[in-house]
């Protein structure tokens, strides 16, 4: 069986996912940003690499020794999936 290249697989998955995916290092700088950033925010993902971001909550990437190696964020807009009454209940 042939093994898939990890970078290829990550690229394929991130482009197929309709939401935003990013990876941020322990310095809070982007290490990866999916193409969806250009659709959602008008930002070129390649230009985001190295930029600092502290405005989002991420899932930590913790090594076996306890060191935080980075953070993962996977975001999906569910606004269109909720009825106006659901949105009022959530947002008051």
């Amino acid at each position: 069986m042939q093994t898939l290249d990890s970078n290829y697989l990550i690229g394929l998955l991130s482009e197929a996912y309709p939401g935003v995916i990013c990876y941020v290092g322990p310095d809070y700088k982007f290490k990866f940003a999916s193409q969806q950033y250009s659709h959602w925010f008008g930002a070129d993902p390649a230009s985001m690499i190295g930029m600092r971001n502290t405005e989002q909550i991420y899932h930590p990437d913790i090594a076996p020794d306890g060191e935080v190696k980075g953070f993962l964020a996977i975001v999906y807009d569910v606004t269109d999936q909720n009825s106006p009454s659901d949105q009022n209940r959530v947002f008051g």
Side-chain angles (χ1 to χ4, degrees):
M1 176 189 288
Q2 182 180 1
T3 303
L4 289 175
D5 175 57
S6 296
N7 289 332
Y8 170 78
L9 187 56
I10 290 169
L12 183 64
L13 291 169
S14 69
E15 298 313 314
Y17 182 69
V20 171
I21 300 174
C22 69
Y23 188 87
V24 177
D27 56 359
Y28 295 97
K29 293 183 180 179
F30 284 99
K31 307 299 182 195
F32 172 82
S34 68
Q35 191 60 39
Q36 290 296 334
Y37 269 92
S38 64
H39 301 295
W40 282 39
F41 305 112
D44 174 28
S47 69
M48 295 173 61
I49 306 305
M51 292 179 61
R52 188 171 171 84
N53 184 337
T54 59
E55 296 180 12
Q56 298 174 353
I57 298 172
Y58 301 94
H59 178 76
D61 175 12
I62 302 174
D65 65 1
E67 176 188 5
V68 176
K69 303 192 73 67
F71 306 89
L72 175 68
I74 300 174
V75 181
Y76 186 73
D77 184 1
V78 296
T79 304
D80 293 340
Q81 296 176 7
N82 295 323
S83 70
S85 63
D86 290 339
Q87 291 175 18
N88 289 335
R89 186 176 66 239
V90 174
F91 299 110

